[in-house]
Amino acid sequence: MTFIELVGQLKKIPCEEIRKESEGYYEFVISGKSFAQLYPVLESYFGVPFKPAGIEPSGKVKDVAKQYGGVEKQQTLYYFQRDGLSNCAMIWPWGDGSQATVKMAQGVIDP
């Protein structure tokens, strides 16, 4: 599956709002009732989370997430590098747990 195909699969899941969509970036808001559909799609592309929710982020995790706004204990980060590209997805649950912001990005790795 390519990044573009992943975004296409995610667009099949009902969302509350698409915040930004451009080449290599997709950000949207999803309701809690759609979380069960979100995780299998992400894991089919990324595998297990690089940083699962509930785990304090390590220094390496913080470095990866820094350019996307950082990642905190309650947030999830999926990440891998392949073919000179970094691929990530970040799930930021809202305080009340009713929704989450999902940020996905693919970009060239700095040499």
Side-chain angles (χ1 to χ4, degrees), residues 27-43:
E27 181 176 334
F28 61 101
V29 175
I30 189 170
S31 73
K33 60 186 170 205
S34 296
F35 289 174
Q37 296 173 59
L38 174 67
Y39 291 106
V41 174
L42 291 176
E43 290 181 11

Side-chain angles (χ1 to χ4, degrees), residues 6-79:
L6 171 62
V7 170
Q9 289 294 316
L10 291 170
K11 286 182 175 181
K12 294 177 183 177
I13 299 171
C15 77
E16 301 296 311
E17 173 188 3
I18 296 175
R19 291 203 171 155
K20 184 173 182 183
E21 182 175 3
S22 61
E23 184 177 345
Y25 190 82
Y26 184 54
E27 181 176 334
F28 61 101
V29 175
I30 189 170
S31 73
K33 60 186 170 205
S34 296
F35 289 174
Q37 296 173 59
L38 174 67
Y39 291 106
V41 174
L42 291 176
E43 290 181 11
S44 72
Y45 183 76
F46 289 99
V48 297
F50 189 68
K51 195 223 64 82
I55 305 291
E56 287 290 341
S58 67
K60 183 175 181 178
V61 168
K62 288 179 183 179
D63 287 343
V64 167
K66 181 172 38 177
Q67 65 182 323
Y68 303 109
V71 65
E72 297 182 9
K73 182 178 180 177
Q74 74 277 15
Q75 299 166 337
T76 302
L77 171 66
Y78 291 89
Y79 179 79

